[in-house]
Amino acid sequence: MYNSSIPQPASALKRSNSNSRPSNSRMSLAARPAYNQPDLMSTAKRDPSRYSARKSYAPSSQPPPSQRRSSVMRRSSMGVAAFSQMNSFFSSAASATVQRDPRPLKDSAYRHEIAAKIFEYVVNNGFELEMKHTLGPNSLKSPTQKDFSMVFQWLYKRLDPNYNFQKAIENEVLPILKTLRYPYASTITKSQLAAVGSMNSWPQFLGILHWMMELAVTMERFQSGEFDDAAAAEGVDIAAERIIFRYLTRCYSAWLVENDDHDEFLEEMAASFEDRQSGYKEELEMLESENEQLKKQLEEMDESADPLKKLEETRILLEGDKQKFVTYVERLELRIPKVTASNQKLKEEIEAVERELAELTAEKQSLQEAVDRQGLTPADIDRMNNDREKLSKSLSLISSKITEAKIQLAERESETSSKLEALERSVSRYNSLAYQIGIIPSSSRNAEGKDFELLILPTQTPENKLLADEVGYQPAQLLNRDLRHDIKPALNRLRQEIGARIHEAQDEAIKTQELIDRIVETLADKRDEVDTLHAKVRTAVDEYQELKETMAAEGNASNAEIEKLEKELASMRLNMSNGVLALEQRMQSVTIERDQLEHACHALREKFHGEVDKMLHEVIKFKVHIQESLENYENLAEEELAGNDTLLDS
C-alpha cells in the first residue's frame, strides 16, 4: 500500500486488500480533485495528446497492473505535502453519522425550480451533442433510468473528463458520490438506484444532480478566475499564489503520467513572475509621475495668491455694483407716477371726445324731427328724399373715411408709442452703460463735471403728450443732449484718455519687467557669490582637517582657535542664507505684482473698448432710425390732413 495520508474510497481499499500484486501506475489523489481539475481541463484543451495517459481521479474498476515503480511511495508523500496546506470543497473523511438533507426536496415547487436550472445548464452546455441523447422539458420531472444515467455521466465528466464508465450505472454512482464527498451519500441504497424515477426516490436523485451541477459551475467559475476577481475586490492579491498553484498542479499532472521533466513548468512560472514584476514596475513609474504632477500642483497652489482674498475683492465689487443698480431702479420708480398720470389724462380726453360725439348725434336727431314737422308737398318730399339719400351716402362715405382715419390714427399712435418705448429702452441702456463706465452722474470720475445723462423731453412735461402743437417734435427736441455734437466728442475724448491710461500702464509694466530682470541678474550674482563662499568654506574645512591632523598637540590654544573659526563660518552661512531668501521673496512679490498689473490693464482695455464701440453704434443707429420714422410719420400726417381738408371743401 501507499504510504500516504490521503483517504481511499472503500472500493479501492477492498481491491488493494484482495490483490497484492504490484503495479507500475501511480494512483491519483482521489480525495483532492477540486485542486487541480481546472488546470488539467485547460491543459487538455491546449494539447489533448500531451497527457492522454493520465489516470482519472475516481477509483478505477479495472484490476491494477502487475508492476509498480519504487518511487511511488516517495512521490505520493510529496504530493500530500504539497497540497496539505490548501482548502478543498470536500472534507478529509466522511462523517460517521448519517446526515439529513436540509433541502426541501419534497416540495414540488423547489423540485421544479432546480429541475429547470439543471435542464437549462445541460442544454446550454452541449449535453445533447456530447451524449447523443435528447432531453425533453419533462425529462427531469418524471425521468427514465436512461435519462438519469446520461445526465449523471455528463455532469461527472464535467468534473473528471478522463473517467470512463465501464460498469452499470447502479454500481458506479455510490463510489463516485463517496469520492466526491457528497454529504448525503450514506442515505442512498442500491434498491433506490434500481428505481431512480419512482416518486419516493427521484427527489433525492434530483438533489444529487443539482449538487453536481453546482459543483461543476463552481469549478468553471474557479477556472475562469472569478474567485481571483472576488479576492482582488476585497484587496487581497493572490496572483503569486495562483502562479505557484498552477506550477504545482501541472507538475503533479505530469507526475501522474510518469513524466519527471518539469523544467518547462519552472520556466513558465519564472516568466509569469517576471511579467508580474514588470507590471509592478510600470505601475510604480506611473505612480511616481503622478506624484511629481501632484507636487507641481501643490507648489503652484502655494505660490499663487490667496483665493479667499480674491473672492473678498470680487464680493466688494459686486456689492458696489448692486448698490448702483438699486439707485438706478429707485430713479426709474420715481418716473412711474408721471407715466401713470399721463395715461389717465389720455383716457379723460378719449371720454370727452366720446361725449362730444353723443351730443352731435342728439343734435342731428333733433334737426331731423324739426324737418319732419314742416309741411312739404310730395314732390318736395321726393326731392328731399333724394337729397337725403345723396347726403346719407355722402355721410356714410365720410363716416367710413373718418373711421378709417381714426383706425389709421390709432395704428400710428400705437406705432409711435412703440417707437417711443424703444427710444426709452435705448436711452435707459445708454444711461446704464454710461453709469457703468463712470460718466453718469456728473460727479463721476470720467464725467469731468458734465451731464451725460439722456432724457426724453416729451415724457418730462406734465401733459406727457406725444405731439407738440399738433405738429410733432423735431429730432433735436426729443432728447435733452445733442448726440452728435456733445455726447460723441466727449465719448471719443474719454476713449483717448483710456487709451493713454492703458499705454501708461503698459509703460509701467515694462519698467517693472526691467526691474525684475535687474533683480534676477542681481540674484544670479548673489548665487555666484554664494557658490564662491561655499568653495571657500570647503577650502577652510580642508585646511581645518589638515591643521587638526598636524597640530593636535598644540592643545587648548589650537582648539580655541578652531572653535572661533567654526563660529565665524556658521555666521557666514547664516548671513548668506538670509540674503538669498530675502532676494527670492522680493522676486516673487515683484513677479506677482507685474502679473496683476498686466491682467488689470488687459481687462480694462478690452472692457472700455467694447462698451464704447457698442454704445456709439447703438446710439447712432437708433437716432437715425427715429429720425427717419418721425419724418415719415410727419409726411403721412400732413398728407392725411390735406386729404381731409380737400374732402371737406368738396
Side-chain angles (χ1 to χ4, degrees), residues 582-643:
L583 288 175
E584 289 179 351
Q585 291 177 352
R586 175 59 179 166
M587 183 183 68
Q588 290 178 359
S589 62
V590 172
T591 303
I592 293 171
E593 184 178 0
R594 182 200 64 182
D595 294 339
Q596 291 177 352
L597 288 174
E598 289 180 352
H599 180 70
C601 290
H602 180 72
L604 188 62
R605 179 172 66 253
E606 293 295 333
K607 178 181 178 182
F608 285 157
H609 276 297
E611 292 181 352
V612 170
D613 290 341
K614 187 175 182 181
M615 184 169 59
L616 288 175
H617 178 72
E618 293 292 335
V619 170
I620 294 171
K621 181 178 177 181
F622 184 70
K623 177 184 176 183
V624 172
H625 179 68
I626 292 299
Q627 289 177 352
E628 292 176 355
S629 299
L630 292 176
E631 289 175 359
N632 293 334
Y633 178 70
E634 183 178 1
N635 294 332
L636 183 60
E638 289 178 356
E639 291 176 0
E640 292 292 334
L641 292 175

Side-chain angles (χ1 to χ4, degrees), residues 397-647:
L397 181 61
I398 292 171
S399 298
S400 63
K401 289 184 178 181
I402 291 172
T403 303
E404 292 177 358
K406 287 182 178 180
I407 293 172
Q408 292 179 359
L409 181 60
E411 292 177 353
R412 297 301 180 184
E413 287 180 353
S414 176
E415 182 179 358
T416 304
S417 298
S418 63
K419 298 293 183 181
L420 182 61
E421 291 176 357
L423 178 61
E424 289 178 348
R425 288 194 296 270
S426 298
V427 170
S428 176
R429 177 173 174 77
Y430 162 81
N431 290 334
S432 177
L433 293 175
Y435 183 80
Q436 293 179 9
I437 64 175
I439 61 174
I440 292 179
S442 59
S443 59
S444 298
R445 177 169 55 87
N446 296 325
E448 297 179 355
K450 297 180 181 180
D451 186 10
F452 288 94
E453 185 176 5
L454 292 181
L455 299 175
I456 301 175
L457 296 178
T459 61
Q460 304 299 319
T461 59
E463 293 80 7
N464 194 16
K465 291 184 179 180
L466 183 63
L467 300 178
D469 299 331
E470 298 182 355
V471 177
Y473 291 98
Q474 296 295 328
Q477 296 175 343
L478 289 175
L479 300 175
N480 63 331
R481 303 286 296 177
D482 189 354
L483 297 177
R484 180 174 297 176
H485 298 91
D486 294 340
I487 301 299
K488 184 176 180 180
L491 292 177
N492 287 331
R493 288 194 301 273
L494 179 59
R495 181 178 181 179
Q496 293 175 358
E497 291 177 0
I498 292 173
R501 294 176 190 173
I502 292 171
H503 289 310
E504 291 176 359
Q506 291 176 347
D507 295 339
E508 185 65 24
I510 292 172
K511 294 179 180 179
T512 305
Q513 182 62 39
E514 292 176 353
L515 177 60
I516 291 172
D517 294 338
R518 290 195 298 272
I519 292 173
V520 170
E521 293 175 357
T522 304
L523 183 60
D525 295 339
K526 294 297 183 180
R527 285 177 178 172
D528 294 338
E529 292 178 3
V530 169
D531 294 337
T532 303
L533 292 174
H534 277 298
K536 290 181 179 180
V537 169
R538 288 194 294 271
T539 304
V541 171
D542 294 338
E543 292 177 357
Y544 161 72
Q545 293 295 336
E546 293 176 0
L547 291 173
K548 182 178 180 181
E549 292 175 357
T550 56
M551 301 180 67
E554 292 185 0
N556 296 330
S558 298
N559 292 333
E561 185 66 24
I562 289 171
E563 290 177 356
K564 181 179 179 182
L565 291 175
E566 287 180 348
K567 291 180 180 179
E568 292 178 357
L569 180 60
S571 177
M572 291 173 64
R573 288 178 178 175
L574 180 60
N575 293 331
M576 285 188 293
S577 299
N578 293 333
V580 170
L581 181 61
L583 288 175
E584 289 179 351
Q585 291 177 352
R586 175 59 179 166
M587 183 183 68
Q588 290 178 359
S589 62
V590 172
T591 303
I592 293 171
E593 184 178 0
R594 182 200 64 182
D595 294 339
Q596 291 177 352
L597 288 174
E598 289 180 352
H599 180 70
C601 290
H602 180 72
L604 188 62
R605 179 172 66 253
E606 293 295 333
K607 178 181 178 182
F608 285 157
H609 276 297
E611 292 181 352
V612 170
D613 290 341
K614 187 175 182 181
M615 184 169 59
L616 288 175
H617 178 72
E618 293 292 335
V619 170
I620 294 171
K621 181 178 177 181
F622 184 70
K623 177 184 176 183
V624 172
H625 179 68
I626 292 299
Q627 289 177 352
E628 292 176 355
S629 299
L630 292 176
E631 289 175 359
N632 293 334
Y633 178 70
E634 183 178 1
N635 294 332
L636 183 60
E638 289 178 356
E639 291 176 0
E640 292 292 334
L641 292 175
N644 292 334
D645 293 339
T646 302
L647 183 62

Side-chain angles (χ1 to χ4, degrees), residues 264-297:
E264 179 184 356
F265 307 135
L266 185 61
E267 293 175 357
E268 184 178 354
M269 180 179 66
S272 299
F273 276 111
E274 289 178 358
D275 294 340
R276 178 180 171 83
Q277 186 177 3
S278 63
Y280 282 147
K281 288 181 179 179
E282 293 177 358
E283 184 178 1
L284 179 61
E285 292 175 357
M286 182 180 67
L287 293 175
E288 288 178 351
S289 62
E290 184 178 356
N291 188 24
E292 292 296 332
Q293 293 178 358
L294 293 176
K295 286 182 179 178
K296 291 180 180 179
Q297 293 179 3

Side-chain angles (χ1 to χ4, degrees), residues 105-328:
L105 296 175
K106 300 297 183 180
D107 187 0
S108 60
Y110 180 74
R111 291 200 305 271
H112 291 165
E113 179 182 355
I114 62 177
K117 290 181 180 179
I118 297 171
F119 181 78
E120 181 181 2
Y121 177 75
V122 299
V123 169
N124 293 336
N125 289 275
F127 167 80
E128 296 179 353
L129 183 63
E130 294 178 9
M131 304 302 294
K132 304 296 189 295
H133 181 73
T134 304
L135 286 180
N138 296 323
S139 298
L140 296 177
K141 296 180 182 178
S142 57
T144 63
Q145 192 79 7
K146 186 176 181 181
D147 291 337
F148 171 77
S149 175
M150 290 296 179
V151 175
F152 183 87
Q153 293 181 30
W154 184 81
L155 287 174
Y156 186 69
K157 283 185 175 291
R158 303 286 290 182
L159 302 173
D160 191 354
N162 297 305
Y163 183 79
N164 294 323
F165 287 88
Q166 297 177 357
K167 292 184 177 182
I169 191 64
E170 295 83 359
N171 298 325
E172 296 275 7
V173 171
L174 283 177
I176 289 175
L177 292 179
K178 292 179 180 179
T179 302
L180 294 177
R181 296 296 187 265
Y182 180 63
Y184 318 113
S186 59
T187 61
I188 302 172
T189 62
K190 291 186 177 181
S191 60
Q192 290 176 332
L193 289 171
V196 172
S198 64
M199 295 299 295
N200 295 327
S201 301
W202 176 238
Q204 189 173 6
F205 288 101
L206 182 63
I208 293 173
L209 296 180
H210 182 254
W211 183 84
M212 293 178 68
M213 181 203 73
E214 289 184 338
L215 181 60
V217 171
T218 303
M219 298 298 294
E220 292 170 358
R221 292 173 62 189
F222 177 80
Q223 182 181 1
S224 64
E226 184 175 344
F227 296 130
D228 295 350
D229 297 337
E234 295 295 330
V236 180
D237 186 8
I238 61 172
E241 289 79 359
R242 182 75 172 179
I243 294 172
I244 297 172
F245 176 72
R246 187 181 297 111
Y247 167 72
L248 294 175
T249 53
R250 291 181 180 178
C251 290
Y252 181 67
S253 301
W255 179 76
L256 288 176
V257 296
E258 300 182 359
N259 181 9
D260 296 334
D261 186 9
H262 302 160
D263 294 339
E264 179 184 356
F265 307 135
L266 185 61
E267 293 175 357
E268 184 178 354
M269 180 179 66
S272 299
F273 276 111
E274 289 178 358
D275 294 340
R276 178 180 171 83
Q277 186 177 3
S278 63
Y280 282 147
K281 288 181 179 179
E282 293 177 358
E283 184 178 1
L284 179 61
E285 292 175 357
M286 182 180 67
L287 293 175
E288 288 178 351
S289 62
E290 184 178 356
N291 188 24
E292 292 296 332
Q293 293 178 358
L294 293 176
K295 286 182 179 178
K296 291 180 180 179
Q297 293 179 3
L298 180 60
E299 292 176 358
E300 292 176 358
M301 292 177 66
D302 292 338
E303 293 176 357
S304 62
D306 188 4
L308 183 61
K309 185 177 180 182
K310 291 183 178 179
L311 292 175
E312 183 66 22
E313 294 176 355
T314 304
R315 185 185 66 79
I316 294 172
L317 293 175
L318 292 176
E319 288 181 353
D321 294 340
K322 176 184 175 182
Q323 187 62 33
K324 294 177 182 178
F325 280 116
V326 169
T327 305
Y328 182 69

